[in-house]
Amino acid sequence: QVQLAESGGGLAQAGGSLRLSCVASGRSFSNNAMGWFRQAPGKEREYVAVINWSGGSTYYSDYPKGRFTISRDHAKNTVYLQMNSLKPEDTAVYYCAAAEGSSTTDFIGAQTLRYWGQGTQVTVSS
């Protein structure tokens, strides 16, 4: 069974840091673009960051630029989201997902993404 499992969420103070992990099991995603979304209460789900298959190309939405970093470790079949300088408005459930294609464009342009994790809650207090 293919699964994506997020971890690393929790409570942080404004200005603090958290590192989220997304561990894939059941198959390798080394050839797939992967990324992070988030959804705050009462809001639509939105992109956070995307990384291509090799890790050599990334995409960030405007709000996390300069604060968040996406990376991946093929040996561990894991994608990370390092979040620094956290703000209360970063409070949301964070989800990782994998595309069928290998590029960031494949991920962003996909009608649907087949693989999703269950999400991890991030709460930032002021």
Side-chain angles (χ1 to χ4, degrees):
Q1 183 179 3
V2 178
Q3 288 186 327
L4 299 179
E6 303 95 336
S7 63
L11 178 64
Q13 291 188 332
S17 298
L18 287 173
R19 188 176 81 155
L20 305 184
S21 299
C22 172
V23 180
S25 59
R27 59 159 281 186
S28 171
F29 286 92
S30 294
N31 294 322
N32 300 79
M34 298 186 70
W36 292 90
F37 289 85
R38 72 183 187 185
Q39 187 166 20
K43 296 187 177 181
E44 293 186 355
R45 187 174 59 198
E46 59 184 357
Y47 286 105
V48 178
V50 182
I51 190 165
N52 76 332
W53 71 276
S54 69
S57 178
T58 57
Y59 164 85
Y60 296 92
S61 292
D62 287 341
Y63 57 83
K65 283 182 180 177
R67 300 189 298 123
F68 294 3
T69 303
I70 188 171
S71 61
R72 67 189 304 167
D73 184 334
H74 286 148
K76 297 181 178 180
N77 219 14
T78 300
V79 174
Y80 303 99
L81 185 68
Q82 177 67 44
M83 304 188 296
N84 298 329
S85 301
L86 284 164
K87 303 176 181 181
E89 50 264 45
D90 293 321
T91 295
V93 178
Y94 284 71
Y95 300 90
C96 72
E100 295 288 0
S102 61
S103 72
T104 55
T105 303
D106 289 334
F107 187 100
I108 295 167
Q111 293 283 347
T112 61
L113 294 170
R114 182 175 179 182
Y115 303 103
W116 287 88
Q118 293 183 329
T120 185
Q121 176 71 46
V122 171
T123 303
V124 183
S125 63
S126 57

